[in-house]
Amino acid sequence: MNTLVSSPEVAKDKQQINLIDGYFTASEAQDILTPMIAKKINFHQVKRMSLYENNHSDACASDRDRIVELEAAKIKAEDIFLQAKIEGKKVRMQSVIQITLED
């Protein structure tokens, strides 16, 4: 379950969600992180396709660059999980999502 973290120093228009916080086996960590990265890649691919359909001259460079960045992150994470499996180590993961309301 996601928890909403509020503190006196966090304004109403700025909140945090403690998404991931714990120790996991390599397989558990992979089960958590791999689909999240895949979902983000898919998000940018769909967005890029939609933009291209509306404007064939739009190179969608920011989405293309983000896809490349996420694919590299996926490979890096797979390497880390493989190393953890080989060495019999646990994986510590933490992820805090910061949400800010802006004009």
Side-chain angles (χ1 to χ4, degrees):
M1 180 195 307
N2 297 341
T3 58
L4 189 59
V5 178
S6 289
S7 63
E9 67 271 2
V10 178
K12 288 182 181 178
D13 59 349
K14 186 174 184 179
Q15 299 291 321
Q16 295 184 61
I17 298 173
N18 188 7
L19 189 63
I20 302 170
D21 187 16
Y23 292 89
F24 305 91
T25 66
S27 295
E28 290 170 337
Q30 190 168 16
D31 288 347
I32 293 167
L33 197 56
T34 301
M36 291 174 70
I37 295 171
K39 184 77 170 174
K40 281 291 295 175
I41 290 170
N42 185 59
F43 169 82
H44 288 287
Q45 288 172 333
V46 169
K47 183 178 171 195
R48 189 170 182 217
M49 194 175 357
S50 177
L51 289 171
Y52 182 76
E53 284 178 1
N54 292 326
N55 181 359
H56 292 299
S57 64
D58 188 346
C60 311
S62 64
D63 288 302
R64 182 192 63 234
D65 293 346
R66 186 64 178 135
I67 291 167
V68 169
E69 191 177 295
L70 289 164
E71 287 173 342
K74 182 180 172 191
I75 291 168
K76 184 176 183 179
E78 289 170 354
D79 289 345
I80 293 167
F81 301 145
L82 179 59
Q83 180 181 354
K85 284 178 186 176
I86 290 170
E87 296 179 11
K89 293 187 176 184
K90 291 273 191 182
V91 176
R92 170 95 167 115
M93 292 196 308
Q94 294 176 292
S95 175
V96 175
I97 307 297
Q98 296 193 14
I99 301 171
T100 306
L101 303 180
E102 298 181 1
D103 293 326

